[in-house]
Amino acid sequence: MSFRIMGTGSYLPPLSVTNDDIAKYVDTNDEWISTRTGIRSRHVATDETASEMGAKAALEALKDAGIQADELDLILCATVSGEYIVPSMACLIQRAIGAHCPAFDMSSACSAFLVMMETAAAYLATGRYRRILLVGTEQMSRVLDWTDRSTCILFGDGAGAVVLEPGENYLGSHMVFMGGEEVLNLPTNVGNSPYWTLERPRDTVNMNGGETYKFATRTVPQEILALLEQTGTQQSEIDWVVCHQANQRIIDAVARRLKGIAPEKFLSNIADHGNTTAATIPLLLDECNKKGMFKRGDLMVVAAFGGGLSCIASLIRW
Ligand code: UT7
């Protein structure tokens, strides 16, 4: 047994920050950012935390699914920019939406939403849970170094959520995990042990952009092709590709490798949102869903990559 998506929701903080706005803080410009990344603006929180944004997305997904919070059996959340290490984001959202079910977080950076889908499918297969809420929510603006032009231009804030129930619409996944912190990391730097002798890390996003780019353009097509082979699916059968929104050039490079899928099937909202890490996939799914773009039965590849390093591709029937 796998799952069916019952409903989707998302939330963006109201402030939209353009590339020209960012050029007031760091030595950059709209032309560089838009041609190298496809990003023109991103939403940035001014007075809302990741859990508050996540709760708003969750409530919208519940409404879309037509169920109440107390009908949920499990809440899974993902974030790299939550306001606490303890309690979990899932517990904060559980209380905010008035749910009473088990709730815990899954950590897998930008791949986390698909890791949660994989986990939810396994839980639903046990028959123990029937309604699972997944939330990806990020306040990336609070974990960026706003003097580092190589990272602060890329990310945005926002949240997305889906509600799942048992069904037959999760058709498979293929993934690769390569442990290591060199390419992409976000250290924690809390406490003040008088016994600690080593240097304390900088607790903001650190990224080797070139290496991340190479990893993504190599592994995303590789995992999608492996997924299609594993599930006996032809590229021509795919109606939509929902890729992690990190850089439009990465999405375009993946599209060039998958020649059997028309370029217009690769969905994108990165121009207005930037990279919202664990929230990119549910945000994009919700926006396209609300625009009425998806028809029941549409076949979609959903693919994500990120810190870990990790890359995962999943096949879903809408
Ligand atoms: O979900 C997390 C995953 N993260 C990603 O997927 C990021 C993947 N990587 C990328 O998207 C790209 O590597 C970046 C957009 C981060 C960088 O693009 P790039 O084409 O790889 O540029 P670069 O790092 O090679 O830098 C080229 C030049 C450098 O100047 P010099 O050394 O050639 O003089 C940089 O200093 O561009 C300079 N540069 C900038 N210039 C203006 C770097 N950032 C900026 C900037 N504005 N914001």
Side-chain angles (χ1 to χ4, degrees):
M1 192 189 291
S2 64
F3 60 67
R4 185 184 85 80
I5 296 179
M6 295 177 75
T8 64
S10 63
Y11 179 78
L12 291 162
L15 178 68
S16 174
V17 173
T18 65
N19 294 341
D20 286 337
D21 292 332
I22 293 196
K24 293 178 199 150
Y25 302 103
V26 287
D27 180 16
T28 190
N29 55 73
D30 176 56
E31 214 255 321
W32 192 97
I33 301 172
S34 52
T35 53
R36 299 272 180 149
T37 70
I39 300 167
R40 296 191 173 279
S41 59
R42 71 288 291 143
H43 290 258
V44 175
T46 54
D47 58 1
E48 287 173 296
T49 61
S51 70
E52 288 166 336
M53 293 188 280
K56 287 178 181 169
L59 287 172
E60 210 191 282
L62 288 172
K63 191 171 165 208
D64 192 42
I67 65 165
Q68 305 294 320
D70 59 11
E71 294 177 71
L72 289 170
D73 298 313
L74 180 65
I75 300 173
L76 302 178
C77 288
T79 188
V80 302
S81 54
E83 53 267 45
Y84 298 106
I85 295 174
V86 178
S88 68
M89 178 61 66
C91 283
L92 293 171
I93 290 177
Q94 184 225 35
R95 182 169 72 175
I97 66 174
H100 305 285
C101 58
F104 57 89
D105 287 359
M106 310 210 69
S107 170
S108 195
C110 302
S111 301
F113 204 79
L114 296 192
V115 170
M116 292 197 296
M117 279 193 167
E118 176 83 0
T119 307
Y123 271 118
L124 289 169
T126 68
R128 180 165 174 179
Y129 300 115
R130 292 196 56 79
R131 304 268 191 272
I132 302 184
L133 169 70
L134 310 184
V135 186
T137 183
E138 301 287 4
Q139 190 189 347
M140 292 305 294
S141 57
R142 68 181 283 277
V143 294
L144 295 171
D145 175 356
W146 284 82
T147 65
D148 175 9
R149 68 178 182 174
S150 69
T151 52
C152 75
I153 55 139
L154 294 172
F155 294 91
D157 299 341
V162 302
V163 182
L164 306 176
E165 68 174 357
E168 302 300 328
N169 297 11
Y170 186 63
L171 306 177
S173 65
H174 209 278
M175 59 189 92
V176 60
F177 282 72
M178 295 166 49
E181 78 282 23
E182 304 82 3
V183 175
L184 183 47
N185 67 58
L186 171 51
T188 58
N189 189 6
V190 293
N192 56 358
S193 165
Y195 299 101
W196 185 247
T197 56
L198 303 182
E199 196 184 334
R200 286 180 173 275
R202 216 169 61 110
D203 53 357
T204 51
V205 171
N206 304 296
M207 183 178 67
N208 180 329
E211 287 303 316
T212 311
Y213 190 94
K214 277 190 252 167
F215 174 78
T217 51
R218 179 170 49 84
T219 56
V220 174
Q222 175 187 298
E223 293 309 299
I224 293 176
L225 289 169
L227 170 73
L228 296 182
E229 190 178 338
Q230 174 185 281
T231 54
T233 309
Q234 302 300 315
Q235 292 188 33
S236 56
E237 294 176 69
I238 301 301
D239 295 298
W240 305 107
V241 182
V242 180
C243 253
H244 172 48
Q245 305 287 295
N247 184 327
Q248 186 61 45
R249 282 166 55 217
I250 294 177
I251 300 168
D252 295 343
V254 173
R256 283 195 297 277
R257 288 283 309 281
L258 299 168
K259 293 192 192 319
I261 307 177
E264 62 272 18
K265 295 184 175 177
F266 288 75
L267 300 172
S268 176
N269 61 6
I270 192 167
D272 306 323
H273 298 357
N275 179 349
T276 56
T277 306
T280 64
I281 302 256
L283 247 170
L284 184 53
L285 282 175
D286 182 55
E287 288 186 352
C288 296
N289 185 26
K290 298 283 160 61
K291 283 182 197 156
M293 290 168 63
F294 301 149
K295 295 189 303 296
R296 191 141 301 287
D298 278 0
L299 195 57
M300 58 177 76
V301 167
V302 190
F305 64 91
L309 294 169
S310 66
C311 177
I312 171 164
S314 306
L315 189 65
I316 291 171
R317 195 170 289 288
W318 193 254

